[in-house]
Amino acid sequence: MNRPTDPPDPDPSDDVTRQSAAEETAEPRAPAADDLDYRHRNGRVHYAAHQRRVDATALGQLVLHLPGTFLSLLVILLISGGLDVWLGLPLWVPPLVWLASGALLFHRPTEDFLARHLLRLQRPMPDEYARLDPVWREVTARAGVDGRAYELWIEDSNGLNAYAAAGHIVGVTRFALDHLPSSQLAAVLAHELGHHTGGHVWTSLLGHWYALPGRAAWYVIRLIVVFAIALTSSFSWLATAALSLVIVFLTYSTITHLYGLPLVLLVTPYLIAAVGRRAELRADQHAAALGFGPMLAQVLVAMHTAETEAGPRPLAAAGAGPDAPGMLARLLSTHPDYPTRLHRLRPYLDPRR
């Protein structure tokens, strides 16, 4: 359950499972259809007064995305100045359009486009929907959430994965649908629902969306600098040194005039990743609180086992030892390691609970 990380890359936010964490070559088996207690069939469903909220991790994501949003606003204002000079377009129009564009990410037709063309998801086939819908309705009934507000999607993948994206997208891989028992599938879906109801998905998505102009500007500047250095190096080392001094001066001036904002942007990816790991633990807790803790633990153990068994093979083929990921890679990971997640689930695994 990784949040399809990124967008606008619709960050997709995330997910219980890491992408393509489990690869299987065996023929799909028919999952057990009667291993889940379908409580919604035995009585009325009571919806919660507040279907969604913004928890601490969601607020943290919003705050951490503010520096990138501010930098993007500066880029938009620079573009607005050029358009004002060349086309006479009022200076306030591009920033207003840019700010209003965030609402499109929660527009159902736009979400449909993102799901199909960016996340590569498909609508469930009738037999897939017949398998998925009762499980989803059980999960939402336990949470007191109107499940009809969300759209169910399928990814044609052999990996064990699930998605919570945009405002109403809940996706699951065909592998998970074909191989997981209903109770474990419900645990995976409950995790994704936790991302939606906790506000993790939309805050991350908006943060990535509004940071796009700043990212694009940084990418262009980096290309120009690399090209300029490569060009001057073909003439002489003196020209390269002079250009390097100019770049250092411009960088210092930019940092000074922007009160150190560019330096903050160097740190924020690590902080955002840390908050993302916390969001995953909260989504795990959400699923466990609904009664799916043991099932979720079973899924995580299976994923951890598959990842451990599959990990050394590509490393050995590359001639490298089975070393753990580097420190920076771990700091930038948006998901906690499996032992940490299983440790946090321990209070929910007590049969007396």
Side-chain angles (χ1 to χ4, degrees), residues 72-86 91 94 213:
S72 293
L73 179 59
L74 293 180
V75 173
I76 296 296
L77 289 174
L78 290 175
I79 296 174
S80 301
L83 294 176
D84 186 23
V85 172
W86 297 335
L91 195 66

Side-chain angles (χ1 to χ4, degrees), residues 232-243:
T232 55
S233 63
S234 63
F235 292 102
S236 70
W237 68 268
L238 187 61
T240 304
L243 178 62

Side-chain angles (χ1 to χ4, degrees), residues 36-72:
L36 182 63
D37 177 18
Y38 291 96
R39 302 178 187 177
H40 73 278
R41 297 176 180 174
N42 302 323
R44 294 182 178 180
V45 176
H46 299 278
Y47 291 150
H50 301 286
Q51 298 281 293
R52 300 192 187 212
R53 65 186 189 280
V54 181
D55 64 21
T57 55
L59 286 174
Q61 287 177 334
L62 283 177
V63 171
L64 291 173
H65 280 295
L66 286 178
T69 301
F70 179 71
L71 182 62
S72 293

Side-chain angles (χ1 to χ4, degrees), residues 202-343:
W202 70 264
T203 54
S204 177
L205 178 60
L206 280 182
H208 282 92
W209 175 256
Y210 285 129
L212 268 185
R215 289 184 179 183
W218 168 245
Y219 181 75
V220 172
I221 291 172
R222 189 172 59 181
L223 284 180
I224 293 174
V225 170
V226 170
F227 175 77
I229 292 177
L231 183 63
T232 55
S233 63
S234 63
F235 292 102
S236 70
W237 68 268
L238 187 61
T240 304
L243 178 62
S244 299
L245 288 175
V246 171
I247 292 173
V248 169
F249 174 76
L250 292 176
T251 302
Y252 176 78
S253 300
T254 302
I255 293 174
T256 302
H257 286 86
L258 293 180
Y259 302 100
L261 178 61
L263 296 179
V264 175
L265 294 174
L266 296 176
V267 180
T268 51
Y270 299 95
L271 298 177
I272 291 173
V275 173
R277 292 192 292 272
R278 182 64 182 174
E280 291 299 322
L281 295 176
R282 282 183 174 268
D284 285 349
Q285 184 181 17
H286 176 269
L290 297 180
F292 299 112
M295 302 80 159
L296 182 59
Q298 293 167 4
V299 175
L300 294 176
V301 168
M303 292 166 56
H304 183 41
T305 301
E307 186 177 275
T308 302
E309 293 176 351
R313 286 199 292 270
L315 289 172
D323 295 333
M327 176 62 72
L328 291 181
R330 291 198 297 270
L331 290 176
L332 286 172
S333 175
T334 57
H335 283 67
D337 57 77
Y338 292 117
T340 298
R341 296 175 70 174
L342 289 167
H343 175 74

